[in-house]
Amino acid sequence: QVQLVESGGGLVHAGDSLTLSCAFSGGTFSSYAMGWFRRAPGKEREFVARVSKGGTSTKYADSDKGRFTISRDSAKNTVFLQMNSLKYEDTAVYYCAADVTPRPRYSDVVRPEAYDFWGQGTQVTVSS
């Protein structure tokens, strides 16, 4: 069974940077595209970013484009989310997710239902 464990969250100030990590185990890492989602207080879970199985293709939410970078390290079975210029509205629980199905359409990758496995989440709090 695939397991995902996020780490790297914390309390930061607006304008700071933070890098989240997600450790993958229990399966073949290269078989899964990996995504990051977040859930802010009182809001639905929303798409942040996705990286393809081979790491060559990435997709981002419009609100994060240019500030966030998703990447993966196949040697470490880990996916990262580097977040720069953090804003108060980035405060949320951030979740890592794995998807075995190729999804060329952006409208598909932003749906939480598209993902097969989820981590427990890591809290990111940005103080204004």
Side-chain angles (χ1 to χ4, degrees):
Q1 180 77 351
V2 170
Q3 291 187 326
L4 304 174
V5 179
E6 301 95 336
S7 61
L11 173 63
V12 297
H13 294 100
D16 285 352
S17 298
L18 199 62
T19 298
L20 306 182
S21 301
C22 172
F24 175 104
S25 63
T28 303
F29 186 53
S30 61
S31 295
Y32 293 85
M34 301 297 296
W36 285 96
F37 285 73
R38 66 186 180 189
R39 177 177 284 165
K43 295 188 177 181
E44 297 292 321
R45 189 173 300 195
E46 66 174 3
F47 173 76
V48 175
R50 175 181 170 111
V51 61
S52 62
K53 297 178 183 181
T56 57
S57 175
T58 56
K59 293 181 171 65
Y60 296 92
D62 288 340
S63 60
D64 309 322
K65 202 173 296 183
R67 297 191 301 124
F68 292 2
T69 302
I70 188 171
S71 62
R72 63 191 295 160
D73 186 332
S74 59
K76 298 180 179 179
N77 282 6
T78 300
V79 62
F80 303 96
L81 183 68
Q82 180 180 346
M83 304 184 292
N84 298 325
S85 302
L86 283 163
K87 305 174 183 178
Y88 173 76
E89 49 265 39
D90 293 320
T91 295
V93 177
Y94 284 72
Y95 298 90
C96 174
D99 179 13
V100 73
T101 304
R103 302 187 193 276
R105 296 189 305 179
Y106 182 84
S107 58
D108 290 332
V109 306
V110 301
R111 298 185 302 112
E113 306 79 53
Y115 294 78
D116 304 294
F117 300 99
W118 291 84
Q120 292 299 307
T122 185
Q123 175 71 47
V124 173
T125 303
V126 184
S127 62
S128 57

